[in-house]
mmCIF file of all heavy atoms in Angstrom:
data_model
loop_
_atom_site.group_PDB
_atom_site.id
_atom_site.type_symbol
_atom_site.label_atom_id
_atom_site.label_comp_id
_atom_site.label_asym_id
_atom_site.label_seq_id
_atom_site.Cartn_x
_atom_site.Cartn_y
_atom_site.Cartn_z
ATOM 1 N N THR A 1 0.844 -1.195 0.000
ATOM 2 C CA THR A 1 0.000 0.000 0.000
ATOM 3 C C THR A 1 0.878 1.242 0.000
ATOM 4 O O THR A 1 2.025 1.214 0.481
ATOM 5 C CB THR A 1 -0.919 0.055 1.230
ATOM 6 O OG1 THR A 1 -0.131 0.259 2.408
ATOM 7 C CG2 THR A 1 -1.737 -1.226 1.364
ATOM 8 N N ASP A 2 0.321 2.333 -0.505
ATOM 9 C CA ASP A 2 1.066 3.597 -0.513
ATOM 10 C C ASP A 2 1.368 4.056 0.908
ATOM 11 O O ASP A 2 2.448 4.607 1.178
ATOM 12 C CB ASP A 2 0.265 4.665 -1.248
ATOM 13 C CG ASP A 2 0.132 4.378 -2.742
ATOM 14 O OD1 ASP A 2 0.842 3.476 -3.229
ATOM 15 O OD2 ASP A 2 -0.679 5.050 -3.401
ATOM 16 N N ASP A 3 0.429 3.849 1.835
ATOM 17 C CA ASP A 3 0.648 4.278 3.215
ATOM 18 C C ASP A 3 1.828 3.540 3.839
ATOM 19 O O ASP A 3 2.665 4.147 4.523
ATOM 20 C CB ASP A 3 -0.607 4.038 4.052
ATOM 21 C CG ASP A 3 -1.715 5.042 3.744
ATOM 22 O OD1 ASP A 3 -1.420 6.091 3.134
ATOM 23 O OD2 ASP A 3 -2.871 4.776 4.102
ATOM 24 N N GLU A 4 1.902 2.228 3.619
ATOM 25 C CA GLU A 4 2.991 1.453 4.217
ATOM 26 C C GLU A 4 4.331 1.781 3.561
ATOM 27 O O GLU A 4 5.377 1.816 4.243
ATOM 28 C CB GLU A 4 2.677 -0.035 4.119
ATOM 29 C CG GLU A 4 1.545 -0.449 5.051
ATOM 30 C CD GLU A 4 1.032 -1.845 4.778
ATOM 31 O OE1 GLU A 4 0.817 -2.178 3.580
ATOM 32 O OE2 GLU A 4 0.817 -2.601 5.738
ATOM 33 N N ILE A 5 4.325 2.038 2.262
ATOM 34 C CA ILE A 5 5.562 2.456 1.601
ATOM 35 C C ILE A 5 6.038 3.781 2.183
ATOM 36 O O ILE A 5 7.232 3.957 2.473
ATOM 37 C CB ILE A 5 5.347 2.567 0.076
ATOM 38 C CG1 ILE A 5 5.107 1.175 -0.517
ATOM 39 C CG2 ILE A 5 6.550 3.231 -0.589
ATOM 40 C CD1 ILE A 5 4.709 1.194 -1.975
ATOM 41 N N ALA A 6 5.124 4.722 2.384
ATOM 42 C CA ALA A 6 5.503 6.009 2.964
ATOM 43 C C ALA A 6 6.033 5.839 4.380
ATOM 44 O O ALA A 6 7.013 6.487 4.777
ATOM 45 C CB ALA A 6 4.300 6.961 2.955
ATOM 46 N N THR A 7 5.405 4.968 5.159
ATOM 47 C CA THR A 7 5.873 4.724 6.521
ATOM 48 C C THR A 7 7.291 4.175 6.516
ATOM 49 O O THR A 7 8.147 4.607 7.307
ATOM 50 C CB THR A 7 4.929 3.735 7.238
ATOM 51 O OG1 THR A 7 3.627 4.316 7.338
ATOM 52 C CG2 THR A 7 5.439 3.400 8.629
ATOM 53 N N ALA A 8 7.571 3.220 5.635
ATOM 54 C CA ALA A 8 8.905 2.620 5.568
ATOM 55 C C ALA A 8 9.953 3.640 5.124
ATOM 56 O O ALA A 8 11.061 3.697 5.677
ATOM 57 C CB ALA A 8 8.888 1.423 4.617
ATOM 58 N N ILE A 9 9.623 4.456 4.119
ATOM 59 C CA ILE A 9 10.575 5.450 3.624
ATOM 60 C C ILE A 9 10.793 6.556 4.642
ATOM 61 O O ILE A 9 11.939 6.960 4.903
ATOM 62 C CB ILE A 9 10.080 6.024 2.280
ATOM 63 C CG1 ILE A 9 10.225 4.982 1.161
ATOM 64 C CG2 ILE A 9 10.851 7.300 1.917
ATOM 65 C CD1 ILE A 9 9.709 5.438 -0.184
ATOM 66 N N ASN A 10 9.732 7.047 5.246
ATOM 67 C CA ASN A 10 9.871 8.160 6.190
ATOM 68 C C ASN A 10 10.646 7.754 7.435
ATOM 69 O O ASN A 10 11.343 8.579 8.041
ATOM 70 C CB ASN A 10 8.493 8.696 6.568
ATOM 71 C CG ASN A 10 7.841 9.446 5.420
ATOM 72 O OD1 ASN A 10 8.520 9.965 4.532
ATOM 73 N ND2 ASN A 10 6.522 9.504 5.423
ATOM 74 N N ALA A 11 10.551 6.489 7.815
ATOM 75 C CA ALA A 11 11.355 6.012 8.944
ATOM 76 C C ALA A 11 12.847 6.116 8.628
ATOM 77 O O ALA A 11 13.661 6.420 9.510
ATOM 78 C CB ALA A 11 10.975 4.578 9.284
ATOM 79 N N LEU A 12 13.203 5.881 7.375
ATOM 80 C CA LEU A 12 14.610 6.006 6.974
ATOM 81 C C LEU A 12 15.027 7.468 6.875
ATOM 82 O O LEU A 12 16.172 7.811 7.181
ATOM 83 C CB LEU A 12 14.840 5.294 5.638
ATOM 84 C CG LEU A 12 14.567 3.791 5.618
ATOM 85 C CD1 LEU A 12 14.998 3.202 4.283
ATOM 86 C CD2 LEU A 12 15.289 3.090 6.754
ATOM 87 N N ILE A 13 14.131 8.317 6.432
ATOM 88 C CA ILE A 13 14.428 9.744 6.387
ATOM 89 C C ILE A 13 14.707 10.257 7.798
ATOM 90 O O ILE A 13 15.623 11.064 8.022
ATOM 91 C CB ILE A 13 13.281 10.509 5.716
ATOM 92 C CG1 ILE A 13 13.201 10.132 4.225
ATOM 93 C CG2 ILE A 13 13.459 12.017 5.867
ATOM 94 C CD1 ILE A 13 12.003 10.697 3.497
ATOM 95 N N ASP A 14 13.960 9.763 8.776
ATOM 96 C CA ASP A 14 14.134 10.217 10.157
ATOM 97 C C ASP A 14 15.520 9.881 10.697
ATOM 98 O O ASP A 14 16.075 10.644 11.489
ATOM 99 C CB ASP A 14 13.066 9.590 11.058
ATOM 100 C CG ASP A 14 11.685 10.173 10.826
ATOM 101 O OD1 ASP A 14 11.590 11.292 10.286
ATOM 102 O OD2 ASP A 14 10.698 9.501 11.175
ATOM 103 N N VAL A 15 16.082 8.729 10.283
ATOM 104 C CA VAL A 15 17.401 8.318 10.802
ATOM 105 C C VAL A 15 18.515 8.545 9.780
ATOM 106 O O VAL A 15 19.646 8.112 9.988
ATOM 107 C CB VAL A 15 17.382 6.844 11.253
ATOM 108 C CG1 VAL A 15 16.399 6.653 12.392
ATOM 109 C CG2 VAL A 15 17.061 5.899 10.087
ATOM 110 N N ARG A 16 18.179 9.196 8.668
ATOM 111 C CA ARG A 16 19.157 9.504 7.624
ATOM 112 C C ARG A 16 19.796 8.241 7.040
ATOM 113 O O ARG A 16 20.989 8.167 6.823
ATOM 114 C CB ARG A 16 20.229 10.460 8.148
ATOM 115 C CG ARG A 16 19.662 11.816 8.556
ATOM 116 C CD ARG A 16 20.701 12.690 9.253
ATOM 117 N NE ARG A 16 21.814 13.023 8.367
ATOM 118 C CZ ARG A 16 21.797 13.981 7.449
ATOM 119 N NH1 ARG A 16 20.704 14.706 7.280
ATOM 120 N NH2 ARG A 16 22.856 14.219 6.699
ATOM 121 N N GLY A 17 18.937 7.258 6.773
ATOM 122 C CA GLY A 17 19.386 6.073 6.052
ATOM 123 C C GLY A 17 19.402 4.815 6.885
ATOM 124 O O GLY A 17 19.616 4.836 8.094
ATOM 125 N N GLY A 18 19.150 3.684 6.196
ATOM 126 C CA GLY A 18 19.149 2.385 6.835
ATOM 127 C C GLY A 18 18.264 1.433 6.073
ATOM 128 O O GLY A 18 18.048 1.595 4.866
ATOM 129 N N ILE A 19 17.727 0.417 6.764
ATOM 130 C CA ILE A 19 16.734 -0.471 6.182
ATOM 131 C C ILE A 19 15.549 -0.524 7.133
ATOM 132 O O ILE A 19 15.699 -0.345 8.350
ATOM 133 C CB ILE A 19 17.285 -1.886 5.900
ATOM 134 C CG1 ILE A 19 17.705 -2.583 7.200
ATOM 135 C CG2 ILE A 19 18.446 -1.826 4.923
ATOM 136 C CD1 ILE A 19 18.109 -4.032 6.992
ATOM 137 N N SER A 20 14.362 -0.766 6.590
ATOM 138 C CA SER A 20 13.156 -0.730 7.423
ATOM 139 C C SER A 20 12.129 -1.725 6.922
ATOM 140 O O SER A 20 12.114 -2.113 5.747
ATOM 141 C CB SER A 20 12.543 0.682 7.430
ATOM 142 O OG SER A 20 12.084 1.039 6.138
ATOM 143 N N VAL A 21 11.265 -2.120 7.853
ATOM 144 C CA VAL A 21 10.123 -2.983 7.559
ATOM 145 C C VAL A 21 8.900 -2.340 8.194
ATOM 146 O O VAL A 21 8.905 -2.037 9.393
ATOM 147 C CB VAL A 21 10.311 -4.401 8.129
ATOM 148 C CG1 VAL A 21 9.079 -5.254 7.820
ATOM 149 C CG2 VAL A 21 11.559 -5.058 7.560
ATOM 150 N N ALA A 22 7.872 -2.113 7.390
ATOM 151 C CA ALA A 22 6.642 -1.492 7.891
ATOM 152 C C ALA A 22 5.477 -2.436 7.680
ATOM 153 O O ALA A 22 5.374 -3.121 6.659
ATOM 154 C CB ALA A 22 6.369 -0.173 7.179
ATOM 155 N N GLU A 23 4.587 -2.481 8.683
ATOM 156 C CA GLU A 23 3.319 -3.194 8.555
ATOM 157 C C GLU A 23 2.267 -2.342 9.228
ATOM 158 O O GLU A 23 2.323 -2.113 10.442
ATOM 159 C CB GLU A 23 3.381 -4.570 9.201
ATOM 160 C CG GLU A 23 2.095 -5.368 9.006
ATOM 161 C CD GLU A 23 2.161 -6.743 9.633
ATOM 162 O OE1 GLU A 23 3.066 -6.995 10.450
ATOM 163 O OE2 GLU A 23 1.295 -7.573 9.299
ATOM 164 N N GLY A 24 1.318 -1.841 8.445
ATOM 165 C CA GLY A 24 0.382 -0.873 8.981
ATOM 166 C C GLY A 24 1.129 0.381 9.403
ATOM 167 O O GLY A 24 1.941 0.918 8.652
ATOM 168 N N ASN A 25 0.888 0.846 10.624
ATOM 169 C CA ASN A 25 1.601 2.017 11.139
ATOM 170 C C ASN A 25 2.863 1.654 11.907
ATOM 171 O O ASN A 25 3.608 2.537 12.337
ATOM 172 C CB ASN A 25 0.674 2.832 12.050
ATOM 173 C CG ASN A 25 -0.488 3.437 11.285
ATOM 174 O OD1 ASN A 25 -0.332 3.864 10.137
ATOM 175 N ND2 ASN A 25 -1.662 3.471 11.903
ATOM 176 N N ALA A 26 3.109 0.361 12.112
ATOM 177 C CA ALA A 26 4.287 -0.084 12.860
ATOM 178 C C ALA A 26 5.480 -0.200 11.924
ATOM 179 O O ALA A 26 5.349 -0.633 10.771
ATOM 180 C CB ALA A 26 4.010 -1.418 13.528
ATOM 181 N N VAL A 27 6.663 0.160 12.413
ATOM 182 C CA VAL A 27 7.865 0.113 11.577
ATOM 183 C C VAL A 27 9.073 -0.239 12.427
ATOM 184 O O VAL A 27 9.218 0.224 13.568
ATOM 185 C CB VAL A 27 8.081 1.463 10.847
ATOM 186 C CG1 VAL A 27 8.284 2.602 11.823
ATOM 187 C CG2 VAL A 27 9.239 1.375 9.859
ATOM 188 N N ASP A 28 9.923 -1.114 11.895
ATOM 189 C CA ASP A 28 11.208 -1.474 12.492
ATOM 190 C C ASP A 28 12.311 -0.931 11.604
ATOM 191 O O ASP A 28 12.230 -1.017 10.372
ATOM 192 C CB ASP A 28 11.366 -2.992 12.603
ATOM 193 C CG ASP A 28 10.478 -3.590 13.674
ATOM 194 O OD1 ASP A 28 10.145 -2.858 14.623
ATOM 195 O OD2 ASP A 28 10.127 -4.772 13.568
ATOM 196 N N VAL A 29 13.372 -0.404 12.225
ATOM 197 C CA VAL A 29 14.436 0.258 11.467
ATOM 198 C C VAL A 29 15.803 -0.189 11.973
ATOM 199 O O VAL A 29 16.018 -0.303 13.190
ATOM 200 C CB VAL A 29 14.337 1.796 11.588
ATOM 201 C CG1 VAL A 29 15.439 2.466 10.757
ATOM 202 C CG2 VAL A 29 12.982 2.286 11.147
ATOM 203 N N LEU A 30 16.708 -0.435 11.042
ATOM 204 C CA LEU A 30 18.134 -0.562 11.349
ATOM 205 C C LEU A 30 18.817 0.676 10.784
ATOM 206 O O LEU A 30 18.984 0.793 9.571
ATOM 207 C CB LEU A 30 18.724 -1.823 10.713
ATOM 208 C CG LEU A 30 20.258 -1.954 10.762
ATOM 209 C CD1 LEU A 30 20.787 -1.909 12.187
ATOM 210 C CD2 LEU A 30 20.721 -3.221 10.039
ATOM 211 N N PRO A 31 19.195 1.652 11.623
ATOM 212 C CA PRO A 31 19.850 2.863 11.104
ATOM 213 C C PRO A 31 21.242 2.557 10.560
ATOM 214 O O PRO A 31 21.972 1.730 11.110
ATOM 215 C CB PRO A 31 19.933 3.770 12.345
ATOM 216 C CG PRO A 31 18.960 3.203 13.328
ATOM 217 C CD PRO A 31 18.950 1.732 13.072
ATOM 218 N N LEU A 32 21.592 3.238 9.487
ATOM 219 C CA LEU A 32 22.935 3.170 8.904
ATOM 220 C C LEU A 32 23.436 4.608 8.776
ATOM 221 O O LEU A 32 23.340 5.223 7.714
ATOM 222 C CB LEU A 32 22.894 2.462 7.556
ATOM 223 C CG LEU A 32 22.445 0.994 7.588
ATOM 224 C CD1 LEU A 32 22.319 0.434 6.177
ATOM 225 C CD2 LEU A 32 23.393 0.137 8.421
ATOM 226 N N PRO A 33 23.966 5.161 9.859
ATOM 227 C CA PRO A 33 24.238 6.600 9.895
ATOM 228 C C PRO A 33 25.409 7.056 9.027
ATOM 229 O O PRO A 33 25.477 8.230 8.685
ATOM 230 C CB PRO A 33 24.527 6.867 11.379
ATOM 231 C CG PRO A 33 24.987 5.550 11.924
ATOM 232 C CD PRO A 33 24.219 4.515 11.172
ATOM 233 N N ILE A 34 26.317 6.161 8.673
ATOM 234 C CA ILE A 34 27.459 6.559 7.847
ATOM 235 C C ILE A 34 27.059 6.414 6.381
ATOM 236 O O ILE A 34 26.954 5.310 5.845
ATOM 237 C CB ILE A 34 28.706 5.709 8.152
ATOM 238 C CG1 ILE A 34 29.060 5.801 9.636
ATOM 239 C CG2 ILE A 34 29.894 6.163 7.301
ATOM 240 C CD1 ILE A 34 30.198 4.901 10.058
ATOM 241 N N ALA A 35 26.775 7.539 5.751
ATOM 242 C CA ALA A 35 26.392 7.597 4.338
ATOM 243 C C ALA A 35 25.107 6.844 4.033
ATOM 244 O O ALA A 35 24.779 6.614 2.873
ATOM 245 C CB ALA A 35 27.529 7.079 3.446
ATOM 246 N N GLY A 36 24.345 6.466 5.047
ATOM 247 C CA GLY A 36 23.167 5.659 4.817
ATOM 248 C C GLY A 36 23.491 4.250 4.367
ATOM 249 O O GLY A 36 22.611 3.516 3.918
ATOM 250 N N LEU A 37 24.777 3.854 4.527
ATOM 251 C CA LEU A 37 25.247 2.560 4.037
ATOM 252 C C LEU A 37 25.885 1.708 5.118
ATOM 253 O O LEU A 37 25.918 0.477 4.999
ATOM 254 C CB LEU A 37 26.284 2.757 2.915
ATOM 255 C CG LEU A 37 25.856 3.592 1.712
ATOM 256 C CD1 LEU A 37 27.039 3.798 0.779
ATOM 257 C CD2 LEU A 37 24.720 2.917 0.995
ATOM 258 N N MET A 38 26.430 2.341 6.157
ATOM 259 C CA MET A 38 27.210 1.617 7.156
ATOM 260 C C MET A 38 26.797 2.039 8.549
ATOM 261 O O MET A 38 26.252 3.116 8.765
ATOM 262 C CB MET A 38 28.714 1.881 6.961
ATOM 263 C CG MET A 38 29.266 1.312 5.667
ATOM 264 S SD MET A 38 30.966 1.824 5.354
ATOM 265 C CE MET A 38 30.705 3.494 4.746
ATOM 266 N N SER A 39 27.120 1.168 9.509
ATOM 267 C CA SER A 39 26.821 1.442 10.903
ATOM 268 C C SER A 39 28.113 1.709 11.664
ATOM 269 O O SER A 39 29.181 1.188 11.320
ATOM 270 C CB SER A 39 26.088 0.256 11.536
ATOM 271 O OG SER A 39 25.900 0.469 12.920
ATOM 272 N N ASP A 40 28.001 2.505 12.726
ATOM 273 C CA ASP A 40 29.140 2.745 13.615
ATOM 274 C C ASP A 40 29.061 1.864 14.862
ATOM 275 O O ASP A 40 29.831 2.044 15.798
ATOM 276 C CB ASP A 40 29.210 4.220 14.023
ATOM 277 C CG ASP A 40 27.919 4.708 14.664
ATOM 278 O OD1 ASP A 40 26.920 3.969 14.620
ATOM 279 O OD2 ASP A 40 27.914 5.820 15.211
ATOM 280 N N ARG A 41 28.151 0.887 14.871
ATOM 281 C CA ARG A 41 28.012 -0.026 16.001
ATOM 282 C C ARG A 41 28.818 -1.300 15.776
ATOM 283 O O ARG A 41 29.341 -1.547 14.685
ATOM 284 C CB ARG A 41 26.536 -0.366 16.212
ATOM 285 C CG ARG A 41 25.686 0.815 16.628
ATOM 286 C CD ARG A 41 24.209 0.542 16.396
ATOM 287 N NE ARG A 41 23.774 -0.684 17.040
ATOM 288 C CZ ARG A 41 22.630 -1.318 16.745
ATOM 289 N NH1 ARG A 41 21.837 -0.811 15.791
ATOM 290 N NH2 ARG A 41 22.283 -2.419 17.356
ATOM 291 N N ASP A 42 28.924 -2.116 16.822
ATOM 292 C CA ASP A 42 29.628 -3.393 16.730
ATOM 293 C C ASP A 42 28.999 -4.268 15.650
ATOM 294 O O ASP A 42 27.762 -4.349 15.528
ATOM 295 C CB ASP A 42 29.570 -4.108 18.077
ATOM 296 C CG ASP A 42 30.246 -5.470 18.038
ATOM 297 O OD1 ASP A 42 31.484 -5.509 18.110
ATOM 298 O OD2 ASP A 42 29.543 -6.487 17.892
#
């Protein structure tokens, strides 16, 4: 759905890049703060 696509994309905009999974209004995100490609975590 367009709503779920927007939820998934906007979650990435909020963290400046990463990967996300949206279902309804719920969304899970793995932020990738370095260039939207890499993480600074372990």
Side-chain angles (χ1 to χ4, degrees):
T1 68
D2 292 348
D3 286 343
E4 289 169 315
I5 292 173
T7 297
I9 288 178
N10 289 335
L12 299 187
I13 293 173
D14 288 339
V15 298
R16 297 172 63 81
I19 63 174
S20 65
V21 179
E23 184 179 15
N25 294 323
V27 62
D28 288 334
V29 181
L30 170 58
L32 297 175
I34 303 175
L37 304 174
M38 294 172 282
S39 175
D40 56 350
R41 295 162 54 196
D42 178 79

